[in-house]
Amino acid sequence: MIETAFALRPTPTVPVEGGLPFPVRRILCVGRNYAAHRREMGGDDRDPPFFFAKPADAIVPPGQDVAYPSATADLHHEIELVVAIGPGGKVFGYAVGVDLTRRDLQNAAKAKGQPWDASKGFDQSAPISAIVRVEAVPGEAAISLSVNGVVRQQASIGDMLWSVPEILVQAARLWALEAGDLIYTGTPEGVGPLVPGDLVEGQIAGIGALSFRIV
Ligand code: MN
């Protein structure tokens, strides 16, 4: 180990059901991977999905509240299947995640052709459930999110434009996937605003569930 001027925070980790915690290297995210969400965002039906990223320390482990972020008046929820990459770049397991978004900043960035870091990659922008070590997700697993008990998003992961194997192929064209990488695979329609006090609950059949409160 090289001696450094100061110590960094420990590597962020995600609990693994029945195993040791998963250390997070980086977070990749897929945009516009469900046709109905692409339409609600005003996207062109011919635009393929694409990638953006969040820093590893944007992870919010299960059981932690999320502080309403600074510099936004339009925080949005996006429920997503998360693929966890293990040694050899192989799938390690799956989790349920929420891609929190400063929608007002994202809309302003889109209008000016600016990057999405401030709208997507902010502190505590990536809540996640525990990781389950299943080989594959059921093809038509139900994915849903509710706020204060009211369902906002409800779809099937079978609606994804890029399936998990296709996402891995597309990502591998751009990066060498390594152990510790997490890929948020995109959200279905029904995204909407959150305010302090809201209880967010998300689930994917056969994978798990997460819940957190905005404080
Ligand atoms: Mn998303």
Side-chain angles (χ1 to χ4, degrees):
M1 291 283 285
I2 297 172
E3 188 178 359
T4 53
F6 50 86
L8 294 179
R9 298 166 64 175
T11 299
T13 61
V14 179
V16 175
E17 298 217 355
L20 292 171
F22 179 94
V24 182
R25 174 174 178 253
R26 63 180 170 186
I27 304 171
L28 301 174
C29 304
V30 182
R32 296 182 191 162
N33 201 22
Y34 289 78
H37 173 64
R38 182 170 60 186
R39 283 194 293 275
E40 77 179 349
M41 289 290 103
D44 188 310
D45 275 2
R46 294 163 297 184
D47 289 341
F50 56 88
F51 291 97
F52 59 93
K54 296 177 187 260
D57 62 7
I59 279 291
V60 181
Q64 286 190 14
D65 294 336
V66 172
Y68 193 91
S70 60
T72 184
D74 198 18
L75 177 68
H76 271 211
H77 55 76
E78 298 190 354
I79 184 76
E80 313 203 353
L81 172 69
V82 181
V83 185
I85 305 298
K90 295 192 165 30
V91 174
F92 177 91
Y94 294 89
V96 183
V98 175
D99 166 17
L100 290 174
T101 303
R102 286 168 165 147
R103 192 72 72 201
D104 43 1
L105 269 60
Q106 186 195 31
N107 289 338
K110 285 180 184 173
K112 293 180 179 175
Q114 292 176 345
W116 286 9
D117 303 63
S119 61
K120 288 289 198 178
F122 53 93
D123 298 344
Q124 291 196 295
S125 60
I128 193 167
S129 72
I131 292 169
V132 292
R133 299 211 61 188
V134 292
E135 297 279 319
V137 273
E140 294 293 334
I143 179 170
S144 64
L145 179 140
S146 68
V147 179
N148 304 324
V150 178
V151 175
R152 294 263 192 96
Q153 295 186 265
Q154 194 164 34
S156 164
I157 61 170
D159 297 339
M160 290 199 296
L161 298 171
W162 282 349
S163 66
V164 169
E166 288 166 338
I167 288 168
L168 297 177
V169 167
Q170 294 292 337
R173 294 175 57 235
L174 298 164
W175 300 278
L177 294 178
E178 290 188 16
D181 291 345
L182 294 173
I183 306 176
Y184 282 58
T185 60
T187 197
E189 68 277 19
V191 301
L194 296 169
V195 296
D198 279 349
L199 176 64
V200 181
E201 297 173 289
Q203 54 194 329
I204 300 174
I207 301 299
L210 90 175
S211 69
F212 58 90
R213 197 171 285 278
I214 304 292
V215 296

